[in-house]
Amino acid sequence: MELSVEQAAVLRELVNSRDVPADIATRGRIVLWSGEGRRRKDIAELLGVSLPTVDR
């Protein structure tokens, strides 16, 4: 997955916001980290979620 600079900036802002629910921030981190080229397994371990959660 490739993210533009603008998309990555928006996601970083979203995941660092205190006004965003935790589940939305987690989804944002999954997309952001996938865009950075991290492996699904690593993302799941870092966030403490299952691989199916990362895949969704």
Side-chain angles (χ1 to χ4, degrees), residues 1 3 8 12 29-38:
M1 167 186 312
L3 298 173
R12 280 189 198 91
R29 283 184 183 90
I30 290 169
V31 173
L32 184 61
W33 291 345
S34 293
E36 291 175 353
R38 293 188 190 214

Side-chain angles (χ1 to χ4, degrees), residues 13-51:
E13 191 174 312
L14 180 123
V15 301
N16 292 321
S17 173
R18 292 179 178 224
D19 299 327
V20 175
D23 61 330
I24 301 298
T26 297
R27 289 180 188 187
R29 283 184 183 90
I30 290 169
V31 173
L32 184 61
W33 291 345
S34 293
E36 291 175 353
R38 293 188 190 214
R39 296 182 317 160
R40 293 171 33 246
K41 181 182 175 187
D42 295 338
I43 294 170
E45 287 178 10
L46 284 168
L47 292 173
V49 298
S50 66
L51 281 175

